[in-house]
Amino acid sequence: MSLYLTTYDQLKNSISNSQFANLFLTSGGSRRSEDNMIVHALAGASAEIVSGLFWTPMEVIKNKLQISGNLTSLGIVESRREKINARNLAIDIYKKEGLHGFFRGYWLGLAVFIPYTVVYFTTYEQLKFQSQRYINKRSKLNYQIPLPFYVYVSCSACSGMVAGAISNAFDVVKTRRQTSLSIEKKTKTIVAEIWNQSGWKGFTKGLTARVLWVIPSVTISITVYETLKDSFWV
């Protein structure tokens, strides 16, 4: 997570200092280009595309481990005494599908996490910007001071709740795609199945659990990262 956040920060700085930002994002206002929502959206989306190459294989194996207690239920071996584990599952995926099998749902994952990331970082950065402006105004200082710990906690928790709720429907489809025993099943087929079985409510399954999982996860990671950055890098 720290590598992902560092990548996001580096991309944000690169984009905000680019000729594109100087030409299109700073005119007509006093805000810096690094505070622009377009910069946050582009940096978040780019970081997600790169990180997906590392996270998708782990996500595929994790999801398959969660839906079965042994290899037999996945049709891998006949013996019910052989318990499923990540190593055996990874070997089986490679034998049946090659490297492509580890990236099932990669593009669908981007369809889930790019909206999530864009919503999260644009919301988080705007909340952080407004908090910074309010604190600086109250302190009457001419320079920017680090934000308090509780501000990072509040901003990251609120942003995680909004982003998690908005992207939940995409996550439902992605998980179905990755755990499907049919290699050839298309995304549109999965969407149709969910709609026929449960209607629009099918796309809200796990919404509460997802939000409750996202909030502490992003709150801890973002707050620790920002606090360390303020302490050592700024």
Side-chain angles (χ1 to χ4, degrees), residues 28-54:
S30 59
R31 294 181 63 171
R32 302 170 300 172
S33 60
E34 66 183 70
D35 294 322
N36 193 287
M37 295 176 66
I38 296 177
V39 171
H40 306 151
L42 290 174
S46 301
E48 195 60 56
I49 290 171
V50 175
S51 65
L53 296 173
F54 299 92

Side-chain angles (χ1 to χ4, degrees), residues 6-36:
T6 301
T7 302
Y8 166 77
D9 259 347
Q10 292 300 317
L11 288 170
K12 182 178 71 172
N13 292 334
S14 297
I15 296 172
S16 64
N17 293 324
S18 67
Q19 186 177 4
F20 167 80
N22 292 332
L23 288 175
F24 300 105
L25 302 181
T26 57
S27 60
S30 59
R31 294 181 63 171
R32 302 170 300 172
S33 60
E34 66 183 70
D35 294 322
N36 193 287

Side-chain angles (χ1 to χ4, degrees), residues 176 185 189-202 205:
R176 284 280 193 98
K185 184 173 288 189
T189 303
I190 295 174
V191 172
E193 287 180 354
I194 296 174
W195 179 263
N196 292 333
Q197 292 170 4
S198 309
W200 65 269
K201 290 184 178 180
K205 285 185 177 180

Side-chain angles (χ1 to χ4, degrees), residues 46-88:
S46 301
E48 195 60 56
I49 290 171
V50 175
S51 65
L53 296 173
F54 299 92
W55 290 353
T56 301
M58 294 185 288
E59 185 82 1
V60 168
I61 294 175
K62 183 200 73 172
N63 285 336
K64 289 209 170 189
L65 284 171
Q66 288 177 337
I67 65 169
S68 176
N70 55 62
L71 297 174
T72 305
S73 62
L74 293 177
I76 297 174
V77 296
E78 295 182 357
S79 173
R80 291 183 175 275
R81 293 176 295 179
E82 186 174 356
K83 296 298 181 181
I84 191 169
N85 58 59
R87 179 178 177 275
N88 289 334

